Amino acid sequence: MKLYLAVPVVLLALLIAASGVAAVSRGWVIPVNRRPVCHPRLYGWGQLVVAFALCWQMVFLLVPGDPDTRQWGTLTGSALLLTGLIVMMASHRTGRDSAG
């Protein structure tokens, strides 16, 4: 088993998921991202999708024995990861000035 790879990725996914739950339920975003994030709940949903995608990729990396299943599972996880990142980017402010 590749536990040296799975354990840090799953821990990172748990941290991202905890931050996503806080953003969805309370509208709280970590202080580094508070200024650029305009829609914290949308940002939280994006974080939850990213966390799910990371776990999805780890499951399909470790569990299936069939190479085709592993390939399609990790490809699906990559598509989910990209979707989550796009949702997180959509929650950011535009490039306009706050005074304008």
Side-chain angles (χ1 to χ4, degrees), residues 11-25 28 30 44 47-48 51:
L11 288 176
L12 179 68
L14 286 174
L15 287 173
I16 294 171
S19 178
V21 167
V24 169
S25 64
W28 182 85
I30 59 173
Q47 284 182 320
L48 289 173

Side-chain angles (χ1 to χ4, degrees), residues 38-93:
C38 184
H39 305 287
R41 298 202 193 303
L42 183 63
Y43 186 77
W45 282 112
Q47 284 182 320
L48 289 173
V49 171
V50 166
F52 179 74
L54 287 174
C55 290
W56 181 276
Q57 285 184 336
M58 282 300 104
V59 164
F60 277 95
L61 177 68
L62 297 176
V63 173
D66 183 31
D68 290 335
T69 305
R70 182 178 296 152
Q71 180 181 6
W72 285 106
T74 54
L75 184 64
T76 305
S78 297
L80 283 171
L81 187 64
L82 184 62
T83 302
L85 290 175
I86 289 171
V87 169
M88 288 171 65
M89 286 178 10
S91 70
H92 280 74
R93 296 185 192 275

Side-chain angles (χ1 to χ4, degrees), residues 7 10 26 31 35 40 43-44 61 68 76 98:
V7 170
V10 169
R26 304 277 185 207
R35 184 174 172 113
Y43 186 77
L61 177 68
D68 290 335
T76 305
S98 61

